[in-house]
Amino acid sequence: MKTLWTALFLLMLQFFTAQENEVYADGVFGFEENKTQKIFTDRTRVRLDPGVNAQIIDSLYTNQQIMILKKEDGVLKLGERAANWYKISYQKGENTLEGYIWGGNLSVGYRNKNGYDFLFGLSKTIDRKNKEYNEIQKQNIAGIKVMEGNTLIDEVYFDTGRGEELSSASFNVESSHKLQNVEFTLKAMVSGEACGIASYDQYVLFKDKKLITLPQLMNVGDAGAFYHSEEYVFPNDKGGISNAFILKVEDMEVDEKDREKKKSSSKTYLWNGSSYKLK
């Protein structure tokens, strides 16, 4: 009997350990089957089977269009990026080929405007020292690339969320917001979609084939307890001023007597048609 109880205990221990170590894919890498996507990471490896030890049969370049055929069950986590393996098909010359790639190498959003392709993706995870806590933390780095066919015109990189903050993503082309010499504005967003998990908005201006990143916006809150919000007021917005954009910040927290305490602040950035500076 003692041997039986020992065996049962070991089985339960293995079960709960497996549960704790189970890796789930980040929502931003949840691509639909039978839909087209774009390669973000240059020279993405195509494998014969899903897995890092499978034979490499090809490599694909940034902006290559592929078709998602099937999402595999296996999830690979590299740093703070976790994604499924996908079976894909793609064109190479006159041939249609198939293979498997890791979802973390795909664009999480892409747009075409004025003959250019704009790709938004997560490029890598780095170690960064947090001075406040005196410890090393993992930080994801995202990027936006502008392509003209197969030619890279420009690219910019910026911090973005960690694993729990990558539930969803969006990538849109907006107007110039009446900023001088700006053709249009790109907005990339990642969100945790849960209380206490931050979302990040990254605005990027496009002018003269160049990408210009604005200071990143962060929003976070817990219903009925606190929130921190950041937004831009552009020249074409209510309260906007010519050739400038205003960063508005608002904080709220509920004290021990359930009273809301709010505070607001703002910064104005002047835009001269090619760059910006804090007023």
Side-chain angles (χ1 to χ4, degrees), residues 217-218 227-233 245-252 261-269 278:
L217 304 179
M218 189 271 283
Y227 67 76
H228 172 88
S229 69
E230 300 178 356
E231 66 173 344
Y232 283 130
V233 179
F245 54 95
I246 304 167
L247 171 61
K248 299 186 71 174
V249 180
E250 183 172 288
D251 289 282
M252 186 281 292
K261 291 187 174 182
K262 294 183 179 180
K263 61 179 181 179
S264 302
S265 63
S266 66
K267 294 179 180 179
T268 299
Y269 293 88
L278 188 62

Side-chain angles (χ1 to χ4, degrees), residues 28 120 122 137-140 142 158-171 187-193 196-203 215-220 228 230:
V28 296
F120 170 42
L122 276 73
Q137 294 182 342
K138 299 290 185 181
Q139 174 65 59
N140 278 327
F158 44 88
D159 291 356
T160 194
R162 300 180 67 187
E164 67 272 15
E165 295 158 345
L166 301 179
S167 294
S168 66
S170 65
F171 187 49
K187 182 184 178 183
M189 182 275 292
V190 296
S191 173
E193 295 185 334
I197 304 297
S199 64
Y200 299 91
D201 295 327
Q202 181 65 58
Y203 283 89
Q216 193 175 66
L217 304 179
M218 189 271 283
N219 292 274
V220 64
H228 172 88
E230 300 178 356

Side-chain angles (χ1 to χ4, degrees), residues 32-251:
E32 293 184 42
E33 296 177 358
N34 301 313
K35 292 288 184 68
T36 58
Q37 291 295 335
K38 290 284 191 83
I39 296 293
F40 183 78
T41 304
D42 204 31
R43 294 182 175 83
T44 288
R45 293 172 176 175
V46 182
R47 298 182 182 272
L48 185 62
D49 296 295
V52 291
N53 296 319
Q55 180 184 345
I56 299 169
I57 56 176
D58 205 349
S59 64
L60 301 178
Y61 293 91
T62 298
N63 207 32
Q64 166 78 50
Q65 182 168 289
I66 58 97
M67 173 70 72
I68 300 289
L69 299 180
K70 181 183 178 183
K71 180 169 76 172
E72 299 295 324
D73 292 333
V75 175
L76 171 66
K77 185 173 183 179
L78 295 178
E80 284 292 303
R81 299 175 298 157
N84 292 84
W85 289 88
Y86 289 90
K87 185 178 182 180
I88 66 164
S89 66
Y90 58 98
Q91 292 296 127
K92 203 156 192 179
E94 297 181 355
N95 300 317
T96 300
L97 305 176
E98 294 184 358
Y100 295 86
I101 63 171
W102 181 56
N105 289 328
L106 290 171
S107 299
V108 298
Y110 60 91
R111 292 288 184 267
N112 179 274
K113 180 77 171 178
N114 296 351
Y116 298 103
D117 290 313
F118 298 89
L119 311 175
F120 170 42
L122 276 73
S123 63
K124 60 183 177 181
T125 303
I126 64 170
D127 290 330
R128 178 169 291 157
K129 186 172 183 179
N130 185 314
K131 295 181 180 179
E132 182 180 355
Y133 299 102
N134 193 30
E135 63 181 15
I136 301 297
Q137 294 182 342
K138 299 290 185 181
Q139 174 65 59
N140 278 327
I141 302 298
I144 293 175
K145 301 179 181 182
V146 53
M147 308 286 298
E148 192 170 21
N150 296 323
T151 302
L152 177 66
I153 303 299
D154 197 16
E155 58 186 335
V156 291
Y157 292 91
F158 44 88
D159 291 356
T160 194
R162 300 180 67 187
E164 67 272 15
E165 295 158 345
L166 301 179
S167 294
S168 66
S170 65
F171 187 49
N172 297 298
V173 178
E174 299 185 354
S175 71
S176 67
H177 292 294
K178 292 188 176 178
L179 290 169
Q180 182 184 0
N181 296 334
V182 173
E183 291 184 48
F184 47 83
T185 304
L186 303 164
K187 182 184 178 183
M189 182 275 292
V190 296
S191 173
E193 295 185 334
C195 291
I197 304 297
S199 64
Y200 299 91
D201 295 327
Q202 181 65 58
Y203 283 89
V204 178
L205 309 180
F206 184 65
K207 68 172 297 291
D208 300 330
K209 295 187 177 182
K210 292 294 182 182
L211 298 169
I212 302 170
T213 58
L214 302 189
Q216 193 175 66
L217 304 179
M218 189 271 283
N219 292 274
V220 64
D222 192 350
F226 76 95
Y227 67 76
H228 172 88
S229 69
E230 300 178 356
E231 66 173 344
Y232 283 130
V233 179
F234 291 106
N236 63 330
D237 294 324
K238 183 179 179 180
I241 58 178
S242 179
N243 290 320
F245 54 95
I246 304 167
L247 171 61
K248 299 186 71 174
V249 180
E250 183 172 288
D251 289 282

